[in-house]
Amino acid sequence: MKKRAIITALCSLSLAAIGMFGLSNAAGASSVNDYIASKNISHANITSSIWGGFPKNAYRKGTGKPEGVVVHETANPNSTIYNEIAYMKKNYNNAFVHTFVDASRIINIANTNYLAWGAGYPANARFVQFEQVEVHSKSAFAHEVANAAYYTAYTLNKYGLKPNDAAYDGKGTVWSHGGVSKYLGGTNHTDPAGYYASAGRKYFGSKYTFAQFYQLVKTAYNNLSADGAAHGSLTASSAKKAYDKVSYAKADSQASLGDDYKSYRLYNHVKNSRSGVKKYSWESVAAEKGKKVYIDNIGTKSNGHDWYRITFSTDNGAKKYWVYEKALDLIH
């Protein structure tokens, strides 16, 4: 794990085909993003591996929750994600972050409801923070930034925040460590700029920039917002779009509520499939992680994403709900 400046204060089923990530925009066309699109690269599932040894300190007063995400990279070309996690657990008094990302894994090790200290004061009291482990191939780098973009978008969505690149005025929700150094102080690091630029040149022929990475974040966030996440309410203008097309198939199977079920909602119909769709809280069904559900119908949207009609008992007349695929652990 990289050495850090003295800290002056305390911090499975894919959602969307990230083939939509190939964008040309104000940030400039990106060969990395285009490669992700051409290969239809998606993201890894988030693995929860919370370690109880990390301290639990609240975010700054007045918010009580994170205000954005800081993107780091480890600056260690010879380490692995598991080595980094082991090192951090032994040295958390110096620094720690919430999550680590590489080409095939997103491992959350510290509860994001409490601050971490990886970027100095005042950033620690404001932001969720994650590290990217350096990888060493074209495909691995593309997969890693796709994972990093998804995790950034997921975290924003989880806490009801919207993407806003802080690089321009220091007031956004998506931060590089370099942006923290420039606008907030308390640290002097510039990552992940150097790693992005070097890997982009080495594997794709031109440097990769944080502005281009931010375009992936926006697309991942839009996918989350449009396809079932709890905090992803649509804007008034987007709500006027045509309803999603859904094909249905009968089923007779079981599943259980997954680790991340609370990020989604229960509905009386597949979300955005028709007018009059209502949502229900998990509290209304006494939900808990691992609770068994029974599936009698599967709705597949034209984008390939599945929704399941479930009941919480086999009793005749049991109320039926529709739920997005990532809320469930399917039993095969």
Side-chain angles (χ1 to χ4, degrees), residues 62-311:
T63 61
K65 68 176 186 177
E67 301 165 50
V69 179
V70 177
V71 182
H72 298 267
E73 69 91 7
T74 62
N76 186 343
N78 301 312
S79 188
T80 69
I81 194 168
Y82 295 112
N83 289 342
E84 292 290 338
I85 291 171
Y87 179 89
M88 183 162 287
K89 289 178 179 179
K90 293 178 180 178
N91 297 276
Y92 68 87
N93 284 320
N94 295 322
F96 73 95
V97 296
H98 294 98
T99 300
F100 280 89
V101 174
D102 67 8
S104 58
R105 290 165 287 260
I106 304 170
I107 304 178
N108 173 221
I109 62 170
N111 191 332
T112 56
N113 291 330
Y114 303 98
L115 62 80
W117 49 79
Y121 176 84
N124 292 340
R126 301 183 184 185
F127 307 124
V128 171
Q129 304 183 51
F130 74 91
E131 292 273 6
Q132 294 163 98
V133 178
E134 292 196 9
V135 296
H136 306 290
S137 74
K138 182 175 185 176
S139 177
F141 182 68
H143 278 81
E144 179 173 58
V145 295
N147 286 341
Y150 168 71
Y151 182 70
T152 303
Y154 167 87
T155 303
L156 295 177
N157 188 277
K158 177 179 179 179
Y159 290 103
L161 303 169
K162 294 183 178 180
N164 183 358
D165 189 354
Y168 302 102
D169 58 8
K171 297 179 181 179
T173 57
V174 181
W175 293 74
S176 67
H177 198 167
V180 172
S181 296
K182 179 178 179 180
Y183 290 108
L184 299 180
T187 180
N188 60 5
H189 292 266
T190 59
D191 57 292
Y195 172 56
Y196 279 6
S198 176
R201 290 191 188 99
K202 182 175 182 179
Y203 301 122
F204 294 89
S206 61
K207 72 176 184 179
Y208 190 58
T209 68
F210 195 78
Q212 291 165 346
F213 169 76
Y214 175 69
Q215 300 307 313
L216 297 187
V217 174
K218 286 202 303 181
T219 299
Y221 183 90
N222 290 339
N223 289 339
L224 282 163
S225 297
D227 211 2
H231 298 290
S233 57
L234 299 175
T235 63
S237 59
S238 63
K240 296 178 181 178
K241 69 179 183 179
Y243 295 119
D244 296 335
K245 294 182 178 180
V246 184
S247 59
Y248 297 92
K250 292 182 178 180
D252 183 12
S253 60
Q254 299 177 16
S256 59
L257 298 183
D259 292 342
D260 197 33
Y261 78 92
K262 289 183 179 179
S263 293
Y264 307 92
R265 290 290 184 267
L266 298 166
Y267 297 87
N268 62 334
H269 298 290
V270 175
K271 185 178 180 181
N272 205 46
S273 64
R274 63 179 72 188
S275 62
V277 175
K278 298 178 181 179
K279 63 183 178 181
Y280 305 90
S281 71
W282 292 107
E283 289 78 10
S284 67
V285 295
E288 60 182 10
K289 185 180 76 172
K291 186 169 184 175
K292 183 181 291 187
V293 299
Y294 304 89
I295 300 168
D296 73 351
N297 210 309
I298 302 173
T300 302
K301 289 191 175 185
S302 56
N303 59 13
H305 303 153
D306 289 332
W307 287 70
Y308 294 88
R309 190 168 69 180
I310 64 171
T311 60

